Amino acid sequence: MKKVIITAPAHNMLETGFRENGFEVVYAPDITYDALMDIINEAEGLVVTTRIKVDKNLLDAAPTLQWIGRLGSGLELIDTVYATQKGIRCMSTPEGNCTAVGEQALLMLLALKRHLVKAAFEVKKGLWLRNENRGTELGGIKVGIVGYGHTGAAFAKLLAGCNLQVLAYDPYKSAFSSSYISEASLDQVKNEADVISFHVPLTDETKHMANLHFFNELKRNPIILNTSRGAVINTADLVQALQSGQVSAAGLDVLENEKLGTHSHREQDVFNALKELPQVLLTPHIAGYSHEAFYKMSAFLLEKLGLKIG
């Protein structure tokens, strides 16, 4: 019988779907790398998220592996080059959680522009500060989107009714302009955007693309949003840009090191400085974690595998 190993929490319809299509399913959402190494030798399929690194050694231990399915977007933890050489198909499901990520980016933007989190905590402390929390509307601003894939496009779609202009930069896409979306260079985004939102995979090209040099070139003291990968931004440089006013505020759903208990002394110092800034909104990598996305990511994976969904 064909075997698939699911190495991360997944909607129960995924396991059901595999079983209905004749698979033996090993559902092991907490499995370690070493434990996976011990059982992957008979697997035809492997389902992952961002917890297990699928490297050359793991792939060599899987002689029957035919495909790897990533729930969500980004394949940076999979050695896709080596997998392809071995004839292993690698696929992700960004269609499943792109709406959720787009909504989170919009929510973070609105929260920062209207001081929602700050004001809510103040009221709970017995403070009624109206003038100090006067917000700014979205109408008339320019939002720069870096990376116009599924999540970048989903964010742009949600901005359609906000009476603003979107400047979208993506060196690998073209011909996507519309009445409110303009294809732009990265320099245009730096020069004109009041908000810059990152929607890129983590690659050698994008790692620390938002660094001190990037922030020094910004012209409009924008809000920075990141719902992609933490290492796209150099966090220490962002803190410096926030402290100097080069960046007016930041909404981060991701961090360079999200295992807070493992921070080095330098990482801890940077994180302490970041979280103390009142113009910073932090959430624990939940942008793509809606109930609907939890279902859709599994459904899209089954669909891409050509399997029937009961």
Side-chain angles (χ1 to χ4, degrees):
M1 181 180 286
K2 301 174 293 185
K3 178 185 288 188
V4 59
I5 304 172
I6 301 174
T7 68
H11 194 281
N12 56 20
M13 67 85 65
L14 184 63
E15 183 175 357
T16 300
F18 280 129
R19 293 191 189 281
E20 290 179 348
N21 282 275
F23 281 86
E24 174 190 347
V25 180
V26 177
Y27 183 70
D30 299 316
I31 195 168
T32 64
Y33 176 93
D34 290 338
L36 179 59
M37 181 76 80
D38 290 338
I39 66 170
I40 200 172
N41 60 304
E42 295 181 349
E44 177 180 313
L46 178 67
V47 179
V48 298
T49 53
T50 57
R51 209 173 51 78
I52 298 288
K53 186 172 184 178
V54 185
D55 57 14
K56 182 178 184 295
N57 290 335
L58 192 63
L59 293 170
D60 282 339
T64 61
L65 194 64
Q66 295 183 20
W67 55 264
I68 302 169
R70 158 78 160 97
L71 296 176
S73 60
L75 297 171
E76 66 269 15
L77 289 184
I78 303 172
D79 189 338
T80 54
V81 173
Y82 190 61
T84 300
Q85 290 174 359
K86 294 177 70 70
I88 300 169
R89 179 186 176 195
C90 300
M91 70 205 85
S92 60
T93 57
E95 309 93 336
N97 66 352
C98 62
T99 298
V101 175
E103 286 185 355
Q104 174 93 359
L106 178 58
L107 287 168
M108 295 184 101
L109 174 56
L110 287 167
L112 290 167
K113 295 285 279 184
R114 303 301 298 270
H115 311 300
L116 294 185
V117 176
K118 173 178 173 290
F121 275 112
E122 288 172 351
V123 172
K124 288 184 177 182
K125 292 178 181 178
L127 301 174
W128 196 261
L129 306 176
R130 297 184 69 207
N131 288 334
E132 293 85 347
N133 288 302
R134 190 184 299 273
T136 306
E137 297 176 12
L138 298 184
I141 70 169
K142 291 184 179 180
V143 176
I145 295 179
V146 179
Y148 201 73
H150 286 91
T151 63
F155 181 37
K157 183 178 180 181
L158 291 169
L159 294 170
C162 297
N163 189 31
L164 52 75
Q165 186 69 28
V166 172
L167 303 175
Y169 165 71
D170 194 318
Y172 303 103
K173 288 195 170 187
S174 61
F176 55 79
S177 295
S178 70
S179 59
Y180 69 100
I181 300 171
S182 300
E183 295 173 42
S185 67
L186 189 57
D187 283 340
Q188 283 178 280
V189 171
K190 292 177 185 177
N191 291 335
E192 301 178 28
D194 303 287
V195 178
I196 300 177
S197 186
F198 290 93
H199 298 269
V200 294
L202 181 60
T203 65
D204 291 339
E205 182 182 8
T206 63
K207 183 176 181 180
H208 285 180
M209 72 180 299
N211 53 22
L212 199 57
H213 177 73
F214 179 95
F215 296 130
N216 284 337
E217 292 189 327
L218 300 177
K219 295 295 189 289
R220 297 184 61 81
N221 312 107
I223 292 173
I224 296 292
L225 304 175
N226 189 11
T227 53
S228 59
R229 292 292 182 268
V232 168
I233 293 178
N234 183 310
T235 312
D237 290 353
L238 175 61
V239 169
Q240 185 174 328
L242 285 159
Q243 292 172 336
S244 69
Q246 290 166 305
V247 170
S248 62
L252 308 177
D253 182 56
V254 288
L255 296 174
E256 290 191 73
N257 183 356
E258 296 177 357
K259 298 178 180 178
L260 300 186
T262 70
H263 280 188
S264 65
H265 290 303
R266 173 170 169 71
E267 287 175 325
Q268 191 60 49
D269 287 344
V270 171
F271 180 65
N272 287 341
L274 183 70
K275 69 181 183 180
E276 292 303 317
L277 292 168
Q279 71 273 41
V280 172
L281 179 60
L282 301 171
T283 54
H285 204 150
I286 56 171
Y289 263 41
S290 70
H291 292 289
E292 293 83 358
F294 194 52
Y295 174 86
K296 287 189 289 186
M297 288 186 293
S298 292
F300 274 111
L301 179 56
L302 291 174
E303 181 180 306
K304 289 184 176 184
L305 288 167
L307 303 177
K308 296 178 181 179
I309 304 175

